[in-house]
Amino acid sequence: SKDIDMEVFSIKATEETPEITLNPVTGEYSISHRSLPENAIGFYAPVFDWIEKFSQNPPVNELSFIFNLEYFNTASAKQIAKILLMLEKLSEKIDVIVIWKYKKDDVDMMSSGLRFSKLLNMEFEIQEVE
């Protein structure tokens, strides 16, 4: 059945960690601001758990997952790659689109998006934002 009760996952941004919203009710799935956690693996573990649980029996038929990061460190890049691979796997079950946003002159963030998009066999949009 499609009506499984998925908890809404929501954490506010800090100086070092991003804001993360995973909300099947509003259809908002996003990671934004900056990602420089002391312990990236520990920080992202609950996100992986949530996506894993969601993927077992997706309560929706489609979703857009938005990355709107100003900066992330190398440790975070590995975790972001892992999230993207989980979304790619999920895209075999439902329609998933990844939207990678970057600020107008942020060449680094744009090229990160391009690099990630080449690793994945799924719908991936790179969007410039003001």
Side-chain angles (χ1 to χ4, degrees), residues 114-129:
L114 282 169
R115 266 202 309 280
F116 283 130
S117 71
K118 291 191 173 109
L119 296 173
L120 301 163
N121 181 24
M122 65 180 298
E123 202 173 339
F124 195 110
E125 280 183 17
I126 299 173
Q127 292 180 358
E128 185 185 281
V129 289

Side-chain angles (χ1 to χ4, degrees), residues 39-72:
N39 172 3
I41 294 171
F43 177 80
Y44 282 101
V47 179
F48 302 142
D49 292 345
W50 191 95
I51 296 173
E52 182 61 43
K53 186 181 173 205
F54 180 96
S55 300
Q56 282 164 11
N57 188 4
V60 296
N61 296 320
E62 56 177 19
L63 67 87
S64 302
F65 201 108
I66 297 167
F67 289 85
N68 191 5
L69 290 160
E70 292 158 27
Y71 183 78
F72 57 85

Side-chain angles (χ1 to χ4, degrees), residues 93-111:
K93 291 186 173 181
I94 64 170
D95 292 334
V96 181
I97 177 169
V98 168
I99 300 169
W100 185 273
K101 300 190 174 195
Y102 69 95
K103 289 212 174 63
K104 199 162 173 229
D105 297 315
D106 192 343
V107 179
D108 288 345
M109 204 49 74
M110 185 185 81
S111 27

Side-chain angles (χ1 to χ4, degrees), residues 17 22 24 29 31 43 48 58-59 73-74 87 95 103 129-130:
T17 59
L22 303 169
Y29 307 89
I31 299 181
F43 177 80
F48 302 142
N73 60 7
T74 312
L87 293 172
D95 292 334
K103 289 212 174 63
V129 289
E130 282 304 318

Side-chain angles (χ1 to χ4, degrees), residues 11-27:
I11 50 178
K12 293 273 167 255
T14 68
E15 282 296 305
E16 282 85 37
T17 59
E19 179 174 322
I20 302 180
T21 304
L22 303 169
N23 188 334
V25 181
T26 61

